[in-house]
Amino acid sequence: MTKRLSEEAERGFLEVLGRHEQLISKVIRIYAFDSEDRKDLFQEIVYQLWRSYGSFKGEARMSTWLYRVALNTAITSLRRGKKLSEHTELDDQFITTSGSLETLYNSEQTRQLYSAIRTLGEVDRALVMLYLEDLSYKEIAEVLGLTEDNVGVKLNRIKKKLRVLIGAS
């Protein structure tokens, strides 16, 4: 059972959610491929963030905590067998209120990259997304529970695989 947060905590939660909307949208875009799946995953991520918001201790940066919750929720949804379509095309509509994301995903090169990323395993997708967000190896390791060395090795392997996939398109 979820405990009720104070009005002040609710306002704080909504503010955090608004500040990090693009972060959540990017996680959703990597793990859910059609509009209905994105909406479902968005709701599940927001619910999980809400459930755990009161227990956030501030030991990590807020964005690190958000990534961790969002990625774990997305990966858990996939592993539980929740229906998430395996379309390789990007829909034109995204769960976001900011127009800048739509502009970003209009280029053919970016569409190819995201199509290639979707062929990767769950954790590898998360690694790439965090890397594309310019997180340091240390920050990526914190979010995913890996060592910094492991992050570097995995990223090098993933980059090679993506070059092959995009080159083959």
Side-chain angles (χ1 to χ4, degrees):
M1 176 176 233
T2 306
K3 63 182 176 189
R4 179 101 170 113
L5 295 176
S6 70
E7 283 186 39
E8 183 179 327
E10 286 180 34
R11 281 192 299 274
F13 174 76
L14 291 174
E15 182 182 314
V16 165
L17 205 57
R19 271 195 323 248
H20 297 283
E21 177 185 359
Q22 289 186 351
L23 176 155
I24 296 167
S25 293
K26 288 173 186 173
V27 171
I28 291 167
R29 203 170 14 271
I30 294 287
Y31 289 95
F33 311 122
D34 68 30
S35 180
E36 188 173 317
D37 290 344
R38 285 193 300 269
K39 288 176 187 173
D40 290 346
L41 186 55
F42 176 79
Q43 288 178 349
E44 184 65 23
I45 289 171
V46 170
Y47 174 70
Q48 294 302 327
L49 287 168
W50 174 252
R51 283 186 58 200
S52 57
Y53 182 71
S55 63
F56 176 67
K57 295 177 177 87
E59 294 170 357
R61 288 185 0 198
M62 179 62 74
S63 60
T64 301
W65 174 77
L66 283 162
Y67 271 124
R68 189 175 297 143
V69 172
L71 288 168
N72 285 338
T73 301
I75 290 170
T76 299
S77 291
L78 286 175
R79 289 183 179 162
R80 284 188 183 152
K82 289 187 179 177
K83 181 194 158 281
L84 293 179
S85 301
E86 290 297 329
H87 301 295
T88 56
E89 293 181 29
L90 290 174
D91 289 343
D92 290 334
Q93 307 196 2
F94 298 111
I95 298 176
T96 183
T97 58
S98 51
S100 61
L101 285 178
E102 290 181 32
T103 304
L104 176 64
Y105 295 100
N106 281 338
S107 80
E108 183 59 31
Q109 209 173 21
T110 304
R111 288 175 194 246
Q112 288 177 350
L113 175 62
Y114 273 86
S115 290
I117 290 170
R118 287 189 178 129
T119 67
L120 301 173
E122 300 158 352
V123 175
D124 289 352
R125 279 187 247 170
L127 253 165
V128 170
M129 186 196 64
L130 296 170
Y131 176 76
L132 291 174
E133 285 294 304
D134 289 327
L135 269 70
S136 68
Y137 283 17
K138 181 179 180 181
E139 291 169 316
I140 294 170
E142 285 176 21
V143 170
L144 298 177
L146 302 171
T147 66
E148 287 182 60
D149 289 340
N150 197 351
V151 168
V153 169
K154 283 179 150 301
L155 277 172
N156 282 328
R157 289 179 184 159
I158 292 167
K159 287 177 189 176
K160 287 178 186 174
K161 185 174 185 176
L162 288 174
R163 281 187 198 106
V164 169
L165 289 170
I166 292 171
S169 303

